[in-house]
Amino acid sequence: MRNLAVIALAIRIGIALATCTFFQPDEYFQSLEVAHHLVFGYGQLTWEWLTPKPIRSIVYPALNVPIYWILKMLNLDGTAALILFSLTSFFHGLSLSRSISNSVETSLTTMALSYFPWDVSLPRWRALVLIALVGLDSLYYGKLTLTPVNFLLTNASSVSLFYGRSPWHYYLSQALPVLATTALPWVLHGAYLARGSSAPAPLRVLFGLLVWTISVYSLAGHKEWRFLHPLLPSMHVLAAKSFVDSRGAKGGSSSGPLLARRLLITLSVPALIYVTFFHERAQVAVMHHLRHLAPETSRSIGFLMPCHSTPWQAYLHRPDLNNDGVLWALGCEPPLQGQDVTDYQDQTDIFFASPLEYLETRFPDRVNATFPPSFLPRSKPGVDAGGFHPWRHEWPQVLVFFGALLDDPDVRKLLLALGYEEDWKAEYGWEGDSRRRGGVRVWRYLDHI
């Protein structure tokens, strides 16, 4: 069993080190970017951190602070069935090793359940830990801040619907199949085994936890697969129970059915390899490319992409671009001032509604070869613009966008006429969002060279 644990740990570390793809903006902008900003003093903080009532806790990003601090100080800026289900889990491979808060929530939930039920007469230190965490948030924001309360109130409002609305059955019809993938038959059978009073108490607790959490989460309008990620280890426990019981029921001597079942479980491995090495890899690779550009050939960089499509200074780490006016991306601030979420449009929405019109009305007629900072290239997080969108840009030396933008021949014609030429491109895998198709392109202004 100890050897299996070592193997499992080695595989998890290997996946974490090998992952070179993009999954979800929060893995950067709610963790690494915040830690980078805290240590180095520059980077991009989203509205969740800058609103008068912040909804994000510094606790999780702080886990990355020692790593960045060490780099700064050193000046180096530049069970067998259960383990089988866990290690072949597509969603674990996709998300667990990434720097996203749901990953640590998954780990902490698993550890908490391993000690359940708690002896309430003993853990006084746990209350002290919670008080310390509140104190850490208040220290970071410079005022008394209860981020869990602010988070709950914000997400209970219409603001969360700005990020999408899903039907009540979303977690049952979409999230569970995606999270469990090929383990789904065993998860469902394990849940069936755990539902009755004759089932072992731990299984009934896990089954009740799943039913309660999914039911409560289904009441919210905005839903995402990853919100259920902390429940996935519990699903694997139920799946392992089903797997072991079904093997015993068949006598356990026939290797054929057992091999077939194991093969079915491991069918998710090819998908895991795909999302680890290929899917949306270009969105990470472009930051490595930009990081190594000479400062004189990349004095300003603009991203004409859906907001948060790439990592930011946590990967770029270029203090020469420590200014929103010289390093900018389109914003997507939510309707924090009570605007009607059905009519509200952020900067990204307005740009992609008519890219050519945006480029012709909010940029100068020609490129200023000194590349001055843009006056207001994106919305200010947490600041009420009063319904007015005064975005104004200067043409940057480097433009980054998805190839789909060039499907409009007039946009391509405009960029060529201004003196931009393609400098770098990369495309990996399939992309469902039409705005993000065509790979990542880097175009650089070359007329002055």
Side-chain angles (χ1 to χ4, degrees):
M1 198 64 184
R2 181 176 298 176
N3 290 338
L4 288 176
V6 172
I7 293 173
L9 181 61
I11 291 176
R12 287 280 173 245
I13 294 175
I15 291 176
L17 295 176
T19 299
C20 53
T21 55
F22 184 97
F23 168 47
Q24 219 276 343
D26 282 3
E27 64 180 294
Y28 306 105
F29 288 93
Q30 306 302 346
S31 56
L32 298 180
E33 192 67 20
V34 180
H36 185 280
H37 185 276
L38 184 59
V39 173
F40 292 100
Y42 64 93
Q44 184 181 123
L45 296 181
T46 60
W47 67 269
E48 292 99 326
W49 301 88
L50 299 176
T51 184
K53 294 183 178 180
I55 68 172
R56 293 288 183 178
S57 171
I58 191 60
V59 173
Y60 175 61
L63 298 178
N64 301 287
V65 165
I67 300 174
Y68 283 118
W69 184 83
I70 291 173
L71 292 175
K72 182 179 181 180
M73 292 299 101
L74 296 179
N75 198 27
L76 297 177
D77 297 351
T79 297
L82 177 59
I83 289 178
L84 175 63
F85 279 108
S86 179
L87 295 183
T88 59
S89 168
F90 165 77
F91 205 83
H92 270 344
L94 173 64
S95 182
L96 189 59
S97 300
R98 296 181 185 270
S99 52
I100 191 169
S101 60
N102 302 101
S103 300
V104 75
E105 289 168 1
T106 301
S107 300
L108 291 176
T109 300
T110 304
M111 288 187 286
L113 288 174
S114 68
Y115 289 103
F116 185 87
W118 294 316
D119 183 348
V120 296
S121 65
L122 294 178
R124 295 181 179 179
W125 60 269
R126 293 188 182 119
L128 296 178
V129 170
L130 292 176
I131 295 173
L133 296 182
V134 171
L136 188 59
D137 281 344
S138 299
L139 179 64
Y140 175 76
Y141 287 109
K143 60 181 180 180
L144 179 62
T145 304
L146 302 176
T147 53
V149 175
N150 293 340
F151 186 89
L152 178 62
L153 294 177
T154 300
N155 283 278
S157 69
S158 62
V159 171
S160 65
L161 300 180
F162 172 70
Y163 296 101
R165 186 195 301 264
S166 302
W168 67 267
H169 55 78
Y170 175 88
Y171 287 126
L172 295 174
S173 60
Q174 297 188 43
L176 283 181
V178 170
L179 266 72
T181 54
T182 54
L184 184 61
W186 290 277
V187 172
L188 296 177
H189 184 242
Y192 175 80
L193 295 176
R195 82 198 190 288
S197 58
S198 60
L203 286 183
R204 285 188 278 115
V205 169
L206 291 183
F207 179 69
L209 174 66
L210 291 173
V211 172
W212 168 259
T213 306
I214 293 174
S215 298
V216 173
Y217 279 24
S218 295
L219 297 177
H222 178 63
K223 304 175 180 69
E224 295 185 33
W225 300 338
R226 61 190 179 96
F227 292 172
L228 293 189
H229 193 188
L231 300 179
L232 187 54
S234 298
M235 297 181 202
H236 288 156
V237 172
L238 296 180
K241 168 67 174 174
S242 168
F243 185 85
V244 172
D245 283 8
S246 61
R247 182 176 62 179
K250 297 180 182 298
S253 59
S254 176
S255 60
L258 178 60
L259 179 62
R261 291 196 295 272
R262 287 179 174 172
L263 178 61
L264 178 59
I265 295 173
T266 56
L267 283 178
S268 60
V269 173
L272 172 57
I273 293 174
Y274 170 72
V275 298
T276 301
F277 294 102
F278 300 103
H279 185 61
E280 297 188 350
R281 177 176 174 175
Q283 293 165 235
V284 177
V286 69
M287 303 309 288
H288 294 293
H289 170 74
L290 296 175
R291 180 178 181 180
H292 292 98
L293 289 180
E296 60 270 17
T297 63
S298 55
R299 283 175 280 179
S300 60
I301 304 176
F303 288 71
L304 296 174
M305 292 175 155
C307 68
H308 305 145
S309 290
T310 68
W312 206 244
Q313 283 284 17
Y315 272 49
L316 192 58
H317 193 65
R318 285 187 52 179
D320 60 303
L321 298 175
N322 179 25
N323 186 317
D324 272 349
V326 296
L327 177 67
W328 54 264
L330 301 177
C332 56
E333 309 312 317
L336 295 176
Q337 284 73 42
Q339 302 97 320
D340 186 347
V341 69
T342 60
D343 297 328
Y344 179 83
Q345 287 187 310
D346 60 27
Q347 187 179 14
T348 298
D349 294 329
I350 293 175
F351 173 79
F352 281 100
S354 180
L356 181 63
E357 179 183 355
Y358 189 102
L359 296 175
E360 290 180 336
T361 58
R362 299 181 186 271
F363 285 78
D365 294 336
R366 59 181 60 87
V367 179
N368 183 337
T370 65
F371 307 108
S374 293
F375 172 69
L376 186 63
R378 69 184 186 99
S379 308
K380 296 294 185 182
V383 176
D384 183 7
F388 179 58
H389 306 299
W391 306 306
R392 298 298 303 174
H393 303 262
E394 292 287 345
W395 288 104
Q397 192 169 14
V398 177
L399 281 171
V400 184
F401 49 84
F402 289 106
L405 189 62
L406 300 177
D407 290 344
D408 185 337
D410 291 329
V411 170
R412 179 188 289 271
K413 181 178 179 181
L414 173 64
L415 296 181
L416 291 173
L418 288 168
Y420 287 95
E421 294 183 16
E422 188 161 274
D423 182 60
W424 182 91
K425 69 176 180 179
E427 183 173 2
Y428 300 90
W430 172 83
E431 176 55 62
D433 186 345
S434 60
R435 301 173 303 174
R436 291 182 166 91
R437 292 174 183 165
V440 176
R441 311 296 183 95
V442 175
W443 281 43
R444 193 151 54 93
Y445 180 74
L446 299 177
D447 268 3
H448 69 292
I449 297 178

